[in-house]
Amino acid sequence: MLPNPEIDKLIQIAEDTALLYMQKDSLSVDEEVQLLASAYAILFLKAVDHSSTIDLSKAHGFLNQCFQKVGDTQFSRKHRVMEEAYRKI
């Protein structure tokens, strides 16, 4: 698929936002929601952009890390499984 600079820009904004929250020592509930929303936006936009399975795997891996950051082990584990599944494709 041809590059889509508009989607690439949105992915970059979501990545920058998520990394900002990942670097903080502690997060408020609102910041946790924003972190997870940004991480899901990254995954969604990469899927819409027909990114490679490796990129989708990395997006799931990042979601795993985000859920660990907010202390949710259940969704962290689910995204780790998805990350591993995409790596096998």
Side-chain angles (χ1 to χ4, degrees), residues 21 24-28 31 69:
Y21 290 118
K24 293 182 94 176
D25 290 332
S26 63
L27 299 173
S28 68
E31 290 171 327
K69 173 90 175 172

Side-chain angles (χ1 to χ4, degrees), residues 3 11 13 15 25 42 55 57 60-62 67-68 87-88:
I11 291 170
I13 291 168
E15 287 175 343
D25 290 332
I42 294 165
D55 284 339
S57 173
H60 278 288
F62 185 66
F67 276 110
Q68 287 178 16
R87 282 189 192 172
K88 291 178 184 176

Side-chain angles (χ1 to χ4, degrees), residues 75-89:
F75 282 108
S76 173
R77 186 172 41 256
K78 287 181 179 183
H79 282 288
R80 185 176 60 242
V81 168
M82 289 299 294
E83 175 186 11
E84 293 167 0
Y86 270 100
R87 282 189 192 172
K88 291 178 184 176
I89 295 177

Side-chain angles (χ1 to χ4, degrees), residues 27 32-33 35-36 65-72:
L27 299 173
E32 288 179 354
V33 171
L35 168 62
L36 295 173
Q65 293 172 9
C66 292
F67 276 110
Q68 287 178 16
K69 173 90 175 172
V70 301
D72 187 321

Side-chain angles (χ1 to χ4, degrees), residues 1-4 7-8 11 42-56:
M1 175 155 256
L2 296 174
N4 187 330
I7 291 178
D8 293 341
I11 291 170
I42 294 165
L43 177 61
F44 172 77
L45 290 167
K46 287 185 179 222
V48 167
D49 200 32
H50 302 284
S51 295
S52 69
T53 55
I54 291 173
D55 284 339
L56 293 173

